[in-house]
Amino acid sequence: RTAQQRQFLGTLASHTPREVVQQLRDSVTATSTQRTYRAGVPLYEASCERAALVPWPPTTHTMEVFAGYLKASGAYLGPAVYWFGVLEEARDRGFQVDLDQRWTSRVVTAMLRGLPAEEQAEPLTLPILRLMGSAVVTEIDFLLLLTLVGALFSCSRADSFVHLSAQDIQDVGPSRVRVVLSGLKGEVRQEIVDPVFDALQVQTSGPWMDIVTSRGPVPLCPVRLFRLLRDKAVSAGAATVAQATYNSLLRRLNHLMIRAGVPTRLPDRRRNLYSMHSTRVAAVCYLLKAGLSPTVISVLCNWSSDQIRRYGARLALDPHLVEAWAFYNPVSMEHSYGVFQGPVASPSAKKRRG
């Protein structure tokens, strides 16, 4: 027998069918999506109770009633997620639910018809980060700002740094670092994105100079910034460079923005203007503006080209949203960028690189 056969047969001996089926079902959707699905179950059961219907197993009638209440209430911008969550819950309970696909498609279309467009997260741009820098008081504030700028450099969500350890920031010579990002939101297989950053020329004035805070400068050079994050994690004996959980990171972001006077809500929006996603949005906008290929950007962001095009359209509609900033290896990737005037490090400036 091969090693793979022995491993498979060993699993047969050690796991019951019930256990492996449950593990499979748990893997159908990401953990965050499972939480959303579960939130829809009591809403569905309340709808059935109002209509004097037995909720389990779901039928076309009970699901239509639930869809009707989701539509009439207008409480959710993504009602279909809660609707499909009921079907997932039914399957987890062992019910066989087979709804006609054409009927399902029509119901979902009806729920979505007339809803406002999906609200996009605003880019966390450098002017906003500088405002936040002026409000930094504690070391926690400073660490948050380092994390946000690091996430922008790595074209990732800020909460990706909840999984980033000091060992994941690796020196590649005196002026380059590799950042190994994993635990990415929405991944199916265990994916790793490991961009290598060249140092940028130090700027002493202009829009690309370091962010000033009361706790020290936040470098606008990926090499200096990631090394600083790593050193702080090692010094604190922290498991990750963010030294935070998802919830604490989001809470700190909101608190620092409010203290800095950054508007976080608008009357016609249901969600905050800024989220963990805003760093990746800003990165995409800066690199698109600098003329970097959308194909390269989608690789850096681990993001679909459709999403890149969405923010490309945003830039076309608002050309002043960001300035062009070729922060990702502007020398080694010079021919990948379009026309650009910005902080490009030249070979003659090596002695000033961070």
Side-chain angles (χ1 to χ4, degrees), residues 39 65 108 144 150 174 199 253 265 285 315 326 328 350:
V65 167
V108 171
L144 169 66
L253 173 65
R265 299 297 294 264
C285 290
L315 278 173
Y328 186 69
K350 284 184 179 179

Side-chain angles (χ1 to χ4, degrees), residues 133 136 142 145-146 210-219 228:
V136 165
F142 185 62
L145 205 57
L146 288 175
D210 293 351
I211 298 174
V212 178
T213 81
S214 63
R215 309 291 296 193
V218 173
L228 180 57

Side-chain angles (χ1 to χ4, degrees), residues 54-121:
V54 177
W56 307 104
T59 65
T60 53
H61 188 30
T62 61
M63 293 303 294
E64 193 170 39
V65 167
F66 183 39
Y69 277 113
L70 285 170
K71 173 75 173 177
S73 69
Y76 300 99
L77 292 176
V81 174
Y82 299 91
W83 195 80
F84 280 115
V86 171
L87 301 180
E88 289 292 332
E89 176 67 18
R91 295 185 183 104
D92 285 347
R93 295 188 182 198
F95 296 115
Q96 184 67 34
V97 182
D98 293 312
L99 301 179
D100 180 75
Q101 289 188 351
R102 292 184 61 188
W103 176 85
T104 298
S105 178
R106 289 197 298 268
V107 170
V108 171
T109 299
M111 282 193 291
L112 298 179
R113 194 180 302 281
L115 286 178
E118 291 186 58
E119 294 178 343
Q120 299 178 3

Side-chain angles (χ1 to χ4, degrees), residues 313-330:
R314 174 79 184 276
L315 278 173
L317 295 171
D318 184 2
H320 299 289
L321 183 65
V322 296
E323 297 184 52
W325 185 23
F327 60 78
Y328 186 69
N329 301 346

Side-chain angles (χ1 to χ4, degrees), residues 130-144:
R130 291 192 189 280
L131 272 177
M132 295 171 68
S134 67
V136 165
V137 175
T138 67
E139 182 66 14
I140 289 177
D141 295 337
F142 185 62
L143 187 61
L144 169 66

Side-chain angles (χ1 to χ4, degrees), residues 104-308:
T104 298
S105 178
R106 289 197 298 268
V107 170
V108 171
T109 299
M111 282 193 291
L112 298 179
R113 194 180 302 281
L115 286 178
E118 291 186 58
E119 294 178 343
Q120 299 178 3
E122 289 296 301
L124 196 55
T125 60
L126 284 182
I128 295 170
L129 289 167
R130 291 192 189 280
L131 272 177
M132 295 171 68
S134 67
V136 165
V137 175
T138 67
E139 182 66 14
I140 289 177
D141 295 337
F142 185 62
L143 187 61
L144 169 66
L145 205 57
L146 288 175
T147 299
L148 295 174
V149 177
L152 190 157
F153 278 140
S154 57
C155 303
S156 64
R157 294 171 53 99
D159 53 321
S160 297
F161 279 47
V162 170
H163 308 285
L164 186 72
S165 69
Q167 292 73 31
D168 293 327
I169 299 173
Q170 304 162 359
D171 289 328
V172 186
S175 60
R176 302 173 72 206
V177 295
R178 173 182 284 109
V179 180
V180 183
L181 292 162
S182 59
L184 304 171
K185 183 178 176 63
E187 69 178 11
V188 177
R189 289 180 177 268
Q190 295 180 3
E191 297 184 45
I192 291 177
V193 178
D194 56 345
V196 177
F197 294 92
D198 294 339
L200 297 179
Q201 181 179 345
V202 175
Q203 302 289 307
T204 57
S205 63
W208 318 114
M209 64 182 294
D210 293 351
I211 298 174
V212 178
T213 81
S214 63
R215 309 291 296 193
V218 173
L220 288 190
C221 164
V223 174
R224 289 190 291 132
L225 182 128
F226 283 116
R227 286 175 176 170
L228 180 57
L229 266 174
R230 181 180 60 192
D231 291 346
K232 285 187 171 294
V234 171
S235 177
T240 67
V241 297
Q243 302 184 37
T245 64
Y246 173 88
N247 288 334
S248 62
L249 195 65
L250 183 59
R251 186 166 58 249
R252 292 171 189 176
L253 173 65
N254 291 332
H255 287 173
L256 187 57
M257 283 191 152
I258 291 170
R259 201 186 315 145
V262 177
T264 58
R265 299 297 294 264
L266 289 177
D268 58 342
R269 279 182 67 105
R270 299 192 185 191
R271 299 172 180 167
N272 283 356
L273 290 168
Y274 303 96
S275 69
M276 295 292 99
H277 187 51
S278 292
T279 50
R280 182 160 65 167
V281 173
V284 168
C285 290
Y286 277 122
L287 293 177
L288 280 174
K289 187 77 170 183
L292 190 61
S293 162
T295 301
V296 175
I297 296 174
S298 66
V299 172
L300 289 173
C301 296
N302 194 38
W303 213 12
S304 72
S305 58
D306 288 341
Q307 294 295 331
I308 303 297

